[in-house]
Amino acid sequence: MNKKTVILGVTGGIAAYKSLDIVSRLRKKDINVHVIMTESATKFVAPLSFQALSQNYVVTEMFGEPKSFDIEHISLAEKADLFVIAPASANIIGKLANGIADDMLSTTVMATKAPVLLAPAMNTNMYSNPILQRNIEALKSYGYFFLDPDEGRLACGTTGKGKLADTENIVDFIDMLLYEKKDLINKKVLVTAGPTREDIDPVRYISNRSSGKMGYAIARAARNRGAEVTLISGPSNLKPPVGVNFIKIYSGSDMYNEVMKYYDSTDIVIKSAAVADYRPETIETSKIKKNNEGLNLKLVKNQDILYELGRLKKSQLLIGFAAETNNLDEYASNKLKNKNLDMLVANDVTMEKSGFDSDTNTVKIFFRNGEMVQLPNMTKEEAAYIILDYALKIKR
Ligand code: PMT
């Protein structure tokens, strides 16, 4: 991919300092950042801080000394792969919605053909003001993207909606908008991720070491490629990708119920979750007391969700995972057949830098026609894109 350029507009508000983190995160991804600050933004944060982080001159004035021979607002507008305004004040939203271009930021946005993302931040009453909401709707109707503010305690002392969206989420949204290959548009993708927990009593459960990293990476890659994604996840510490329909579940039977709700209307299912095969036959209502004897726990089988999906399959593309410790080829091929899958992604979870909780994975992909592809060790993000590439090549 060519190096991308983001123009970041910063408007006046206490959240302006948070935009420094956006610049820093984008630079770490090797994205060029040019910052335009409104005059009031400069009252909150010094332009020098943005300049140091972006390593580009920060534009603050319409009629300041130009730093190059270009007409500055036109040249920035043309340079942009994406325009982001964070925080976006009620003032800039109002100006853009009504065609007012009276400073460097509003003029440059008006002149750009790049997509524009706004992340509003303001007092909660200002945010709910119907005039502002009308302006937001107007901009949405012109194709502007918005990332809603979070709820919480605001700098003005009130509590409500108006906090700038989490900067990690803003950068996640930027990643999606910058990703060019949109080959999953109009496709509904269902991804399962993470472990399940099967309660023994109110304080104990059976689970496994899945972190959710593999499944979240697949959900994010599918979203970046334009799919409408539902991510059904067991307990995980990860932040769900922005813009996906995120459903948090606890046990294997919760996962079964949620998956079944979506299955009929889904085009591609990718089951990377590590679902418990067994659950305690009964869940004790109070904590099991220890005694001097051992403890026998009777386990019963959990429903095999993937098997059930294979049985009910109509036009869906069904992709399973297999976590193996030995005989990987044999077990993986059997799972592919027995569960009526179109593709299976197997990983040997005893390998270094692979499997549970690792940032990287080494996977082998099995197909119905008996072919298999061994991928080298790579980040789970890279693996996710390749898994989707192979899924899209399957002819049925
Ligand atoms: O989450 P991470 O820390 O990133 O780790 C990633 C991973 C190791 C969990 C992932 O790469 C992986 O291998 N996922 C599948 C784990 C698993 O449960 O494998 P399995 O071989 O036991 O199950 C085979 C398939 O049947 C899986 O698609 C599983 O989701 C599904 N299954 C299993 C049991 C069950 N009751 N219902 C199911 O649907």
Side-chain angles (χ1 to χ4, degrees):
M1 253 205 300
N2 293 336
K3 198 160 168 167
K4 299 285 182 189
T5 297
V6 168
I7 310 296
L8 176 66
V10 183
T11 66
I14 188 66
Y17 77 94
K18 295 185 182 170
S19 297
L20 293 169
D21 185 49
I22 300 177
V23 178
S24 157
R25 285 173 185 274
L26 294 176
R27 289 298 300 130
K28 278 187 196 141
K29 290 171 179 277
D30 202 23
I31 293 171
N32 261 328
V33 186
H34 290 270
V35 178
I36 304 175
M37 298 177 79
T38 60
E39 198 190 335
S40 34
T42 63
K43 306 272 190 279
F44 289 90
V45 185
L48 188 60
S49 305
F50 283 104
Q51 186 169 311
L53 284 172
S54 68
Q55 292 171 325
N56 277 315
Y57 168 71
V58 174
V59 182
T60 53
E61 292 169 54
M62 187 74 189
F63 301 106
E65 189 70 17
K67 291 290 175 272
S68 69
F69 194 65
D70 303 335
I71 299 175
E72 210 154 28
H73 68 280
I74 303 294
S75 110
L76 282 178
E78 281 173 357
K79 252 188 209 140
D81 291 297
L82 176 67
F83 215 114
V84 180
I85 306 182
S89 62
N91 186 44
I92 189 74
I93 294 169
K95 280 192 204 176
L96 296 179
N98 292 286
I100 298 169
D102 65 349
D103 62 6
M104 193 63 185
L105 180 58
S106 49
T107 321
T108 316
V109 182
M110 206 71 88
T112 194
K113 290 215 154 111
V116 182
L117 166 66
L118 291 102
M122 64 198 73
N123 163 274
T124 190
N125 293 337
M126 281 173 87
Y127 186 68
S128 59
N129 186 309
I131 301 172
L132 178 91
Q133 288 301 323
R134 184 200 59 199
N135 287 339
I136 290 178
E137 286 316 309
L139 288 173
K140 281 185 179 169
S141 75
Y142 292 123
Y144 285 62
F145 296 95
F146 276 83
L147 193 53
D148 285 352
D150 289 339
E151 286 197 25
R153 194 177 176 283
L154 305 176
C156 54
T158 53
T159 301
K161 202 167 178 176
K163 259 168 85 104
L164 181 71
D166 191 292
T167 50
E168 203 179 324
N169 286 345
I170 294 175
V171 173
D172 191 24
F173 206 113
I174 291 174
D175 278 342
M176 174 178 75
L177 293 176
L178 285 179
Y179 198 81
E180 278 171 12
K181 193 169 150 194
K182 301 287 182 197
D183 52 358
L184 282 171
I185 278 181
N186 293 330
K187 293 278 179 225
K188 290 190 175 154
V189 176
L190 173 63
V191 182
T192 70
T196 63
R197 287 183 185 166
E198 310 301 330
D199 280 346
I200 298 170
D201 69 13
V203 298
R204 304 178 179 98
Y205 56 78
I206 298 172
S207 190
N208 59 65
R209 291 168 36 224
S210 170
S211 61
K213 285 178 187 169
M214 190 67 246
Y216 282 50
I218 294 171
R220 201 166 255 123
R223 175 209 65 182
N224 286 352
R225 288 165 78 150
E228 195 183 306
V229 178
T230 295
L231 171 62
I232 302 177
S233 170
S236 163
N237 293 326
L238 302 178
K239 225 180 239 275
V242 175
V244 310
N245 173 26
F246 180 69
I247 297 166
K248 200 172 168 185
I249 57 89
Y250 187 80
S251 66
S253 66
D254 294 343
M255 185 168 278
Y256 176 87
N257 292 335
E258 290 300 330
V259 167
M260 288 305 163
K261 278 188 206 161
Y262 288 89
Y263 192 41
D264 279 350
S265 58
T266 296
D267 299 298
I268 304 174
V269 180
I270 308 180
K271 279 221 77 252
S272 69
V275 186
D277 289 319
Y278 296 95
R279 66 174 189 277
E281 186 175 41
T282 50
I283 305 173
E284 298 300 329
T285 50
S286 45
K287 184 181 168 191
I288 300 172
K289 284 295 178 200
K290 93 172 158 248
N291 56 32
N292 291 330
E293 310 292 311
L295 174 71
N296 283 322
L297 205 56
K298 175 140 195 235
L299 301 179
V300 291
K301 261 194 102 173
N302 253 349
Q303 191 133 16
D304 188 326
I305 307 168
L306 192 55
Y307 179 85
E308 204 47 25
L309 297 181
R311 201 178 64 76
L312 300 171
K313 187 163 77 170
K314 290 182 193 128
S315 59
Q316 298 90 339
L317 195 69
L318 190 53
I319 300 166
F321 264 74
E324 306 297 349
T325 55
N326 54 309
N327 299 340
L328 183 131
D329 285 17
E330 182 194 338
Y331 292 153
S333 313
N334 287 345
K335 279 180 188 167
L336 179 80
K337 264 190 229 109
N338 298 342
K339 300 193 186 197
N340 191 23
L341 309 179
D342 298 292
M343 187 172 118
L344 181 128
V345 182
N347 37 200
D348 178 342
V349 290
T350 63
M351 270 176 83
E352 245 186 75
K353 297 186 182 164
S354 289
F356 293 111
D357 204 20
S358 165
D359 289 335
T360 53
N361 210 358
T362 310
V363 303
K364 194 165 184 179
I365 306 181
F366 294 75
F367 302 91
R368 275 178 96 91
N369 62 5
E371 281 177 18
M372 41 184 130
V373 179
Q374 174 71 65
L375 299 183
N377 187 262
M378 59 182 74
T379 65
K380 284 182 175 168
E381 284 70 32
E382 288 164 339
Y385 283 103
I386 297 178
I387 290 166
L388 290 172
D389 286 342
Y390 278 109
L392 286 174
K393 279 189 206 147
I394 293 176
K395 296 206 170 38
R396 288 179 302 165

